[in-house]
Amino acid sequence: NMCKVIQASDNNWMCERCNKQYDHCCRRYIYSLTMVDDTSCTWATSFNDQAELMLGGVTANEMNQYLENGDTQKFEEIFQEALFTDWIFKCKVKNEMVNDEQRIKTTIYGMQKVDFVEESKNLLKAINDMVDHHERTCRSAPAAASRP
């Protein structure tokens, strides 16, 4: 079952959509975070797959077990390890109206760790391409007429 469930009074889980009860549930993340770069910062939401990746592969069920077992130190360590890590995000950004106020909603739908070597190669290639383009346009431009 991949439906949203709520905890019933008898410690079972109830799906309001199909009106079925289950003895356990599969917890999933809805993770709010702040993304920061050199220019700005923004709030974003990531869902289960991206949140697990960011938290080192720890599932929402495992995080819940840490809390239920009273292992708050392990719970906090997992979040501390995720702080200030470098990622390349693919995001969906859209404007929404909330209480007659326009807000920007950012949702992460893909991400990968930054590969600094690969990113450096990409930047060097982009710089070389710009230099080559500049040299080609300067050579093909007509010479300025000189005045006597």
Side-chain angles (χ1 to χ4, degrees):
N1 180 18
M2 295 297 290
C3 299
K4 180 181 174 183
V5 294
I6 58 172
Q7 194 164 16
S9 59
D10 58 358
N11 285 336
N12 283 331
W13 298 91
M14 167 106 174
C15 174
E16 291 180 322
R17 192 162 109 196
C18 64
N19 207 25
K20 290 184 181 178
Q21 286 203 3
Y22 301 92
D23 58 347
H24 69 281
C25 71
C26 178
R27 288 176 166 75
R28 298 178 59 81
Y29 290 111
I30 300 176
Y31 190 63
S32 293
L33 59 122
T34 304
M35 298 187 302
V36 179
D37 68 5
D38 294 336
T39 61
S40 182
C41 68
T42 189
W43 279 96
T45 302
S46 68
F47 294 98
N48 198 63
D49 294 343
Q50 290 74 33
E52 278 185 16
L53 185 60
M54 197 175 311
L55 296 174
V58 180
T59 67
N61 281 334
E62 291 170 323
M63 290 294 270
N64 186 64
Q65 282 300 117
Y66 295 136
L67 287 178
E68 285 182 353
N69 296 337
D71 194 353
T72 55
Q73 182 177 350
K74 180 67 175 172
F75 182 86
E76 291 295 327
E77 282 175 10
I78 292 166
F79 282 106
Q80 288 297 319
E81 289 173 11
L83 290 176
F84 304 108
T85 54
D86 297 309
W87 298 90
I88 297 173
F89 292 106
K90 292 181 182 178
C91 300
K92 179 173 76 171
V93 180
K94 66 180 183 177
N95 286 321
E96 289 187 339
M97 291 296 286
V98 179
N99 297 331
D100 294 328
E101 182 181 328
Q102 192 164 1
R103 293 187 185 175
I104 297 175
K105 180 179 179 181
T106 304
T107 305
I108 299 169
Y109 69 89
M111 57 190 277
Q112 64 186 42
K113 280 274 200 190
V114 176
D115 180 347
F116 291 101
V117 172
E118 190 62 32
E119 289 301 313
S120 297
K121 288 177 185 177
N122 291 340
L123 288 172
L124 287 172
K125 182 183 180 318
I127 291 169
N128 286 332
D129 289 348
M130 287 190 323
V131 168
D132 290 345
H133 176 73
H134 177 73
E135 288 175 352
R136 281 193 310 272
T137 55
C138 288
R139 275 188 294 212
S140 64
S146 60
R147 293 188 181 174

